[in-house]
Amino acid sequence: NASSRDETGGVRVRREDVRIKQFRQRTGLLVIFAVDASGSMALNRINNAKAAAISLLQSAYVHRDKIALIGFRRDRAEVILSPGGGVAKARRALESLPTGGRTPLSAALAEVYQLAGEKACNLHVAGTVLVLITDARSNQPLRSLPEGVDRREFAREEVERLAKQLRPRLAG
């Protein structure tokens, strides 16, 4: 229009004519898969759990999320795939995950707590999500069992305490 032209006939650009749209880089989430590989999950349950985890891993990959994988059985939980590992690595790790022994759910939650704190900060992710695949039959506590105390009850109380500590570190 005539009001936006200067004396020479050129176009005059005013401050209000300029619009800048800033794009924030999508950082994604840290998705921690904790898979129960104890004896009570053996056979059909573990195969179903692995299939579900692989499907969820593929979805996380599409959304540019960082992926970590924790397996837990016997008396420990271990990080099988560090955050940022690829879906193919996670799939191979899941498929070769050994099973058997007790259910150290407390150990898994303690490992998740570590990853959700230190790694999430280093990876600059928007938040942390836990995908916990278990039958919830926790029977292996982290701490030594006091004499005369029921193992399962002690492990259950430990899991509840750890879950409460973990909650603030996870994305809503």
Side-chain angles (χ1 to χ4, degrees):
N1 80 33
S3 65
S4 63
R5 300 211 178 258
D6 64 16
E7 303 81 39
T8 65
V11 177
R12 184 174 20 155
V13 178
R14 298 173 302 209
R15 181 180 297 271
E16 59 268 14
D17 293 331
V18 177
R19 302 200 197 293
I20 298 173
K21 180 148 182 145
Q22 291 182 328
F23 293 97
R24 290 184 310 172
Q25 185 175 4
R26 190 173 185 288
T27 57
L29 298 169
L30 169 58
V31 181
I32 302 172
F33 291 87
V35 180
D36 181 349
S38 67
S40 62
M41 285 287 291
L43 299 175
N44 288 335
R45 280 193 209 151
I46 194 67
N47 290 334
N48 291 339
K50 287 177 180 182
I54 288 169
S55 175
L56 290 167
L57 283 164
Q58 290 169 331
S59 175
Y61 176 75
V62 167
H63 293 97
R64 296 184 186 154
D65 297 328
K66 304 288 187 216
I67 300 165
L69 180 62
I70 296 172
F72 59 100
R73 69 187 193 107
R74 293 192 176 153
D75 62 348
R76 72 179 64 88
E78 66 178 299
V79 176
I80 296 170
L81 181 70
S82 293
V87 175
K89 271 185 165 178
R91 178 187 289 256
R92 283 191 303 274
L94 268 173
E95 288 171 351
S96 65
L97 186 66
T99 60
R102 292 194 171 149
T103 309
L105 187 51
S106 298
L109 294 179
E111 198 66 50
V112 168
Y113 187 86
Q114 290 292 107
L115 282 177
E118 65 190 47
K119 295 292 185 183
C121 290
N122 295 341
L123 293 170
H124 307 291
V125 292
T128 304
V129 174
L130 169 61
V131 178
L132 179 62
I133 301 175
T134 182
D135 60 7
R137 295 182 181 178
S138 183
N139 58 13
Q140 180 61 45
L142 279 174
R143 300 179 304 166
S144 299
L145 206 61
E147 198 169 317
V149 174
D150 179 60
R151 174 184 294 280
R152 289 181 196 276
E153 182 61 25
F154 190 74
R156 185 191 62 75
E157 289 171 1
E158 195 174 64
V159 165
E160 285 179 10
R161 182 179 46 77
L162 288 165
K164 286 177 186 170
Q165 291 174 356
L166 180 61
R167 186 177 212 168
R169 290 199 175 190
L170 301 177

